[in-house]
RNA sequence: GCACCGAUGGUCUAGUGGCAUGACUUUGGCCUUCCAAGCCAAUAGCCCGGGUUCAAUUCCCGGUCGGUGCACCA
């Protein structure tokens, strides 16, 4: 069954987009190599992403290690949440959560038991699937994080990061200062993340090492209005909300402004990035008819997220594939890191107007309290501050003992305190992109075969913004000086910062086909007229149309074509 | 991780207990004045480990990778 997937992967392998990793030693499932064209294309997708998030949104990029110490992932919940105690039934081979099986048989606190204890208990318990006992089976941990040790002596436990986000969260304090203590601000990271999948299949869709591009945008919890919401408010996006999924309906095409106003999308930030993602995926060359946004159902949503949408792209082989997740993660992560680290993970937000609060303050006379209460003096002073004194003195309870502190041991002052603002723990809006999946989706959507004069023409109609090779330079004949002129042009084009490929092998038609197959958007051909009038042929991949342009303008024209500043048909 | 199926030049593939097919691609040459033309030549392959055998790419066992189903996938 040669479906599009087979054809795309065959082409990807043959032409140097994607290869199985360490193929000569047998490869490892879930690990891939990007070949020369794949690596170039991936870099261009990442750079296009930077255009959107770094250049246009103003979110600076940081780079954190892929290896992180244990504390990070204890705080994030990955050490616990990503590790289940599993047991496999020796009879029917079914997998079960070891603690769940125990708890179903009234074993209390099974979750906290060790693997040995669980194995011991399970020995006499029946498998929920087949009814036979687990005798002979051993409970084992199952954590999807790659584990390692940092430094000699295996002293420190480390993990390969399962997402790039945690690096941004742990740098929160530094980032807040970098952005001069103001909300909102955003930070992005593009890099590798790791998940030790049990059974990674589906080619490039499910990898053990994959590239994420994530933005973490820190916003005031009460102000989730995006400052540039107007830019995307009128953009129509296919949304498949909870309602459509429950009624098994098609996505609704609706403006993002309307979606936010009607409450389908939780807030402007989430809506804004849904629209931006729509824009970005189409700019990469994904087919608009095969993109939709699906809202997470309440029961699949992570417990901390208030709203979460996946950008899904339709694949002929895999169905709708999640390529981007856009979540409002609330303050879950910052709260978790605050608890683990002791730092506050808050921003000080000044009020528009200072608040003045009049209050009674009870100030202890430490000179008198000290000798009287000795080591307990400090505790007494603190209790005094919170007490409500009467004329006879203030009654406090110290270690269960009621003590009356006479008025001469403290002073009561009425005092005005100025409150200039408050500490606010931001909420996090997180658009998270799976670059590998996007690259595959674009390849699949761009793959096209058409019949030209009885021959099959294979052409990758990828966006000229992410095509690995941008221009092919072809001498019609590799003689009569045509090759010399072509090589000169080649150098000029490369000087312009474009990626060009020179090809003088075989008939001209064959060379066009070669370039079509790797998605090169433009080809320049030097022919005999070039020597007469200094013009060259410029051919466009998608239409196969050709025009002649003066070779002096070539490099500049190409640059404008590729940046989308001018259209081929207007030349 | 389980079950079933598969693995042969770069790609697709034929086939076999004893010299391993063909096509396409690629490279060089001839030819060729714009869309995979033709001719000549060259390069290049039986997934890995063990077993059976005089001899294994072929048969057997184990593994790896890929596909499918199950399980897993905050």
């Amino acid at each position: 069954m040669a479906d599009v997937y087979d054809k795309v992967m065959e082409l990807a392998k043959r032409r140097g987009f994607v290869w199985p990793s360490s193929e000569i030693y047998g490869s490892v499932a879930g690990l891939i190599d990007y070949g020369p064209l794949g690596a170039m294309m991936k870099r261009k997708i990442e750079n296009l992403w930077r255009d959107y998030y770094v250049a246009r949104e103003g979110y600076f990029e940081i780079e954190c290690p892929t290896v992180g110490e244990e504390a990070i992932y204890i705080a994030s919940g990955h050490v616990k949440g990503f590790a289940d105690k599993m047991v496999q039934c020796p009879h029917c081979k079914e997998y079960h959560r070891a603690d769940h099986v125990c708890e179903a048989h009234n074993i209390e606190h099974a979750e906290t038991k060790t693997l040995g204890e669980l194995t011991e208990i399970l020995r006499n318990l029946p498998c929920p699937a087949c009814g036979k006992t687990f005798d002979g089976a051993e409970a084992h941990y199952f954590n999807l994080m790659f584990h390692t040790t940092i430094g000699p002596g295996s002293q420190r436990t480390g993990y390969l990061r399962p997402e790039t986000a945690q690096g941004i969260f742990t740098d929160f304090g530094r980032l807040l200062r970098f952005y001069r203590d103001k909300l909102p601000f955003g930070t992005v990271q593009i890099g590798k993340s790791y998940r030790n999948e049990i059974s990674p299949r589906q080619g490039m869709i499910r990898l053990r090492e994959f590239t994420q591009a994530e933005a973490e945008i820190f916003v005031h919890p009460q102000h989730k209005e995006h400052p540039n919401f107007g830019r995307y408010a009128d953009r129509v996006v296919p949304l498949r909300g909870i309602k459509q999924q429950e009624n098994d309906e098609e996505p609704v095409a609706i403006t993002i402004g309307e979606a936010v106003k009607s409450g389908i999308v939780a807030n402007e930030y989430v809506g804004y990035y849904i629209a931006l993602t729509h824009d970005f995926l189409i700019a990469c060359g994904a087919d608009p008819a095969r993109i939709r946004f699906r809202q997470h159902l309440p029961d699949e949503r992570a417990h901390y997220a208030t709203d979460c949408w996946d950008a899904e792209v339709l694949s002929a082989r895999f169905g709708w594939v999640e390529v981007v997740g856009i979540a409002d993660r609330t303050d879950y992560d910052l709260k978790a890191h605050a608890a683990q680290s002791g730092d506050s993970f808050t921003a000080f937000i000044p009020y528009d107007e200072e608040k003045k609060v009049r209050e009674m303050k009870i100030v202890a006379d430490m000179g008198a309290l000290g000798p009287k209460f000795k080591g307990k003096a400090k505790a007494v002073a603190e209790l005094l501050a919170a007490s409500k004194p009467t004329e006879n003195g203030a009654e406090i309870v110290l270690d269960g003992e009621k003590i009356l502190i006479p008025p001469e041991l403290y002073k009561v002052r009425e005092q005005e305190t100025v409150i200039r603002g408050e500490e606010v723990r931001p909420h996090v809006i997180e658009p998270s992109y799976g670059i590998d999946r996007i690259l595959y989706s674009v390849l699949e959507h761009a793959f096209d075969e058409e019949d030209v004069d009885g021959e099959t023409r294979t052409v990758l109609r990828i966006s000229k913004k992410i095509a690995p090779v941008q221009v092919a330079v072809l001498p019609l004949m590799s003689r009569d000086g045509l090759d010399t002129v072509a090589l000169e042009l080649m150098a000029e084009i490369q000087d312009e910062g474009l990626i060009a490929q020179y090809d003088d092998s075989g008939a001209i038609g064959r060379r066009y086909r070669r370039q079509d197959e790797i998605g090169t958007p433009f080809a320049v051909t030097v022919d005999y007229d070039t020597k007469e009038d200094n013009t060259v042929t410029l051919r466009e991949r998608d239409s196969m149309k050709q025009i002649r342009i003066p070779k002096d303008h070539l490099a500049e024209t190409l640059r404008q074509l590729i940046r989308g500043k001018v259209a081929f048909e207007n030349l």
Side-chain angles (χ1 to χ4, degrees), chain A residues 367-431:
Chain A
L369 279 182
K372 195 162 180 183
F373 291 97
K374 306 235 163 28
K376 291 177 178 169
K378 197 180 179 211
V380 172
E382 279 167 12
L383 288 165
L384 266 176
S387 67
K388 293 204 169 65
T390 64
E391 286 170 17
N392 301 327
E395 197 176 77
I396 61 165
V397 181
L398 181 65
D399 295 337
E401 184 192 351
K402 279 188 185 174
I403 304 171
L404 186 70
I405 311 289
E408 57 269 25
L409 293 185
Y410 59 85
K411 286 197 177 76
V412 177
R413 266 204 305 255
E414 189 175 356
Q415 160 176 319
E416 194 178 71
T417 312
V418 179
I419 303 175
R420 294 189 170 78
E422 61 182 337
E423 293 289 335
V424 168
R425 184 161 293 145
H427 280 198
V428 175
I429 310 295
E430 179 194 74

Side-chain angles (χ1 to χ4, degrees), chain A residues 330-538:
Chain A
T330 69
D331 60 357
Y332 175 84
D333 302 277
L334 297 188
K335 217 196 267 175
H337 282 295
Q340 175 81 14
S341 68
D343 281 4
S344 76
F345 284 81
T346 55
F348 181 79
I349 305 297
Y351 293 132
D352 292 340
E353 278 180 46
E354 299 177 346
K355 286 181 188 169
K356 288 177 182 163
V357 179
R358 295 186 73 81
E359 59 182 5
M360 302 297 284
K361 206 159 182 191
I362 301 149
V363 184
D365 179 352
M366 292 312 283
L369 279 182
K372 195 162 180 183
F373 291 97
K374 306 235 163 28
K376 291 177 178 169
K378 197 180 179 211
V380 172
E382 279 167 12
L383 288 165
L384 266 176
S387 67
K388 293 204 169 65
T390 64
E391 286 170 17
N392 301 327
E395 197 176 77
I396 61 165
V397 181
L398 181 65
D399 295 337
E401 184 192 351
K402 279 188 185 174
I403 304 171
L404 186 70
I405 311 289
E408 57 269 25
L409 293 185
Y410 59 85
K411 286 197 177 76
V412 177
R413 266 204 305 255
E414 189 175 356
Q415 160 176 319
E416 194 178 71
T417 312
V418 179
I419 303 175
R420 294 189 170 78
E422 61 182 337
E423 293 289 335
V424 168
R425 184 161 293 145
H427 280 198
V428 175
I429 310 295
E430 179 194 74
S432 171
Y433 292 61
I435 298 295
D436 314 85
R437 289 182 172 190
I438 291 172
L439 189 143
Y440 171 76
S441 308
V442 168
L443 283 180
E444 191 187 303
H445 285 192
F447 184 89
D448 190 25
E449 287 177 320
E450 60 177 16
D451 206 63
V452 177
D453 300 329
E455 297 272 3
T456 303
R457 172 178 179 244
T458 303
V459 49
L460 271 189
R461 302 189 190 280
I462 49 185
S463 158
K464 48 188 180 283
K465 288 178 181 153
I466 62 165
V469 176
Q470 294 163 309
V471 189
V473 179
L474 320 168
L476 188 61
M477 296 293 143
S478 54
R479 62 176 189 224
D480 302 327
L482 298 187
D483 46 352
T484 318
V485 178
L487 283 168
E488 282 166 16
L489 277 174
M490 173 83 178
E492 271 178 50
I493 291 165
Q494 288 172 319
D495 234 30
E496 201 69 31
L498 300 173
I499 305 295
Q501 208 168 60
Y502 180 85
D503 187 356
D504 64 353
S505 169
I508 188 69
R510 172 182 296 278
R511 285 180 270 161
Y512 284 143
R513 291 293 186 272
R514 268 190 206 126
Q515 295 298 330
D516 288 340
E517 201 179 45
I518 63 168
T520 307
F522 300 106
V524 174
T525 307
V526 173
D527 60 16
Y528 287 92
D529 289 349
T530 308
K531 293 170 79 175
E532 306 290 320
D533 61 6
N534 282 319
T535 62
V536 292
T537 303
L538 182 60

Side-chain angles (χ1 to χ4, degrees), chain A residues 259-292:
Chain A
V260 172
K261 206 165 143 195
S262 62
I264 300 171
V265 172
N267 56 58
E268 284 193 4
Y269 265 100
V270 172
Y272 181 93
Y273 290 106
I274 289 173
L276 184 150
T277 298
H278 190 244
D279 189 5
F280 172 78
L281 290 174
I282 292 168
C284 284
D287 175 7
R290 285 180 270 177
I291 299 172
R292 72 179 187 191

